[in-house]
Amino acid sequence: MRTFYLIALLLCVSCKQGDTEWIDRTKHQGLFRINATDKFEIYSTQSEPEQLENTIGNIESAKKYFDKIFDEDLKFAVLFIDNKNWDNYAFAPPPGMPQAYYEGNMVLGLGKSIMAQRHEKALKNASITELDSLKKYYGSEINLDLFFRDALSIHELGHLYQSYHTGRNSQRKWLDELFGNLCQVAATKNFEDQGTYQRMDAYQEYVIRNKPWGEIKFTTLDQFEKEYFEIFKQGRNYGWYQSKFYTKAKRLYALYGDSILIQFLDFQIKINADDIDKIEDKKLYDMMLEEFGIETMEILEWKYDS
């Protein structure tokens, strides 16, 4: 009997270690550990970072929601990185572009990010009506870090819940990004305070209405797969794709609610590229049609192939 309890104890310890060991701690070197919550780990390039309370609160609320619907208690770390140190910790510029590493780390901007500055500068072309609409949610001095850090951190957290199960590889980047958008919509819709959802949606819808993309090179899902990092680095083209995924995510969540997130995560795990070979487009479509049904597939139809 004593041997049985010893084995059980060792198994429990192994499980707990596995939960935390997936976090890549080499990413934390040179950073300050910030004790602002017991829900996840926080690191920063500054010893006493300011104005992070809302971001941390949003991530806490999102974690509570995701843990509940995914039956999880995900361990992860959030890295708040200032502009000058961004390239040392993030995998791509510009500073403030939120990013999730596969191994348990999320990288967010600190202070006034260059990402937010660029997009605030672009607002000079907005009409008075559009600016007044945004100021309703962002205040008279529009601060888009409230979007790129406070809101999009939830999108990146959704990616971590997937990569915890599926690892570095995936069948389709566009499915990953659709899932991230589903996560940000669903979580913020379930916050007690709807301010984050309203800010997020106001800016997303402003961008969708005003189409600030200029000339874009890539439009197809096949290009999104083959040229993902090039599209990501281009920024505007990446934003164009994300606006399409966001619109589809809103429609899916409005139709199915929380169940669509659970279904999507289970499907991503089932088709994990680490476990099975690359699935051809036709076969993947047929698998998704069987899994999600025709109504979902009609929403996911991609009309930008030229």
Side-chain angles (χ1 to χ4, degrees), residues 8 11 13 63-64 68 72 81 109 131 153 235-236 254 275 304:
L11 286 173
V13 170
K63 173 176 164 51
K64 181 179 179 181
K68 180 180 179 181
E72 196 74 73
I81 308 298
L131 285 175
S153 59
R236 286 178 180 247
D275 298 329
Y304 311 96

Side-chain angles (χ1 to χ4, degrees), residues 190-251:
N190 281 275
F191 285 2
E192 185 175 341
D193 180 353
Q194 287 294 287
T196 297
Y197 175 78
Q198 290 165 347
R199 281 191 294 274
M200 177 187 77
D201 192 61
Y203 188 66
Q204 295 267 34
E205 291 298 332
Y206 160 77
V207 169
I208 290 167
R209 284 193 304 274
N210 288 274
K211 304 178 178 63
W213 320 115
E215 185 177 352
I216 55 175
K217 182 177 180 180
F218 305 106
T219 59
T220 72
L221 289 182
D222 188 54
Q223 288 171 328
F224 193 75
E225 300 306 313
K226 293 177 179 177
E227 307 290 344
Y228 179 78
F229 286 105
E230 178 63 26
I231 293 169
F232 186 91
K233 287 189 292 183
Q234 286 188 16
R236 286 178 180 247
N237 208 155
Y238 190 69
W240 179 86
Y241 277 102
Q242 290 288 7
S243 71
K244 309 304 178 188
F245 299 141
Y246 178 74
T247 300
K248 294 177 184 299
K250 279 179 65 176
R251 290 181 63 191

Side-chain angles (χ1 to χ4, degrees), residues 110-166:
L110 180 63
K112 172 56 71 173
S113 72
I114 289 176
M115 187 72 181
Q117 290 177 43
R118 288 180 181 177
H119 283 256
E120 288 167 15
K121 185 177 180 180
L123 290 176
K124 70 179 186 298
N125 298 318
S127 68
I128 300 279
T129 301
E130 292 284 19
L131 285 175
D132 286 343
S133 177
L134 289 174
K135 287 176 181 179
K136 178 180 178 182
Y137 300 106
Y138 286 91
S140 58
E141 297 295 328
I142 295 173
N143 176 13
L144 288 181
D145 279 313
L146 293 174
F147 176 77
F148 288 105
R149 183 175 61 227
D150 290 12
L152 293 191
S153 59
I154 300 160
H155 177 120
E156 301 308 315
L157 182 55
H159 285 320
L160 291 182
Y161 276 82
Q162 177 186 332
S163 61
Y164 179 70
H165 291 283
T166 61

Side-chain angles (χ1 to χ4, degrees), residues 280-290 294 297:
E280 295 297 323
D281 287 346
K282 176 62 168 62
K283 182 177 180 182
L284 180 62
Y285 176 87
D286 291 341
M287 291 175 68
M288 292 185 68
L289 180 61
E290 181 178 357
I294 188 63
M297 298 309 292

Side-chain angles (χ1 to χ4, degrees), residues 26-140:
T26 65
K27 302 296 181 187
H28 307 163
Q29 294 178 10
L31 299 177
F32 295 96
R33 176 71 185 266
I34 309 299
N35 296 312
T37 180
D38 61 357
K39 306 302 182 186
F40 47 88
E41 298 175 27
I42 299 177
Y43 299 87
S44 174
T45 47
Q46 298 177 7
S47 59
E48 297 181 359
E50 298 179 347
Q51 298 180 327
L52 297 182
E53 293 82 3
N54 194 63
T55 309
I56 293 169
N58 278 358
I59 299 172
E60 286 178 329
S61 296
K63 173 176 164 51
K64 181 179 179 181
Y65 168 75
F66 292 142
D67 280 350
K68 180 180 179 181
I69 68 164
F70 295 140
D71 191 23
E72 196 74 73
D73 182 14
L74 191 70
K75 312 300 181 186
F76 59 91
V78 181
L79 283 56
F80 290 101
I81 308 298
D82 56 24
N83 292 332
K84 66 180 180 180
N85 290 293
W86 186 261
D87 290 346
N88 296 328
Y89 293 96
F91 60 78
M97 168 69 86
Q99 299 164 25
Y101 279 96
Y102 300 102
E103 293 87 6
N105 289 298
M106 182 197 313
V107 184
L108 301 176
L110 180 63
K112 172 56 71 173
S113 72
I114 289 176
M115 187 72 181
Q117 290 177 43
R118 288 180 181 177
H119 283 256
E120 288 167 15
K121 185 177 180 180
L123 290 176
K124 70 179 186 298
N125 298 318
S127 68
I128 300 279
T129 301
E130 292 284 19
L131 285 175
D132 286 343
S133 177
L134 289 174
K135 287 176 181 179
K136 178 180 178 182
Y137 300 106
Y138 286 91
S140 58

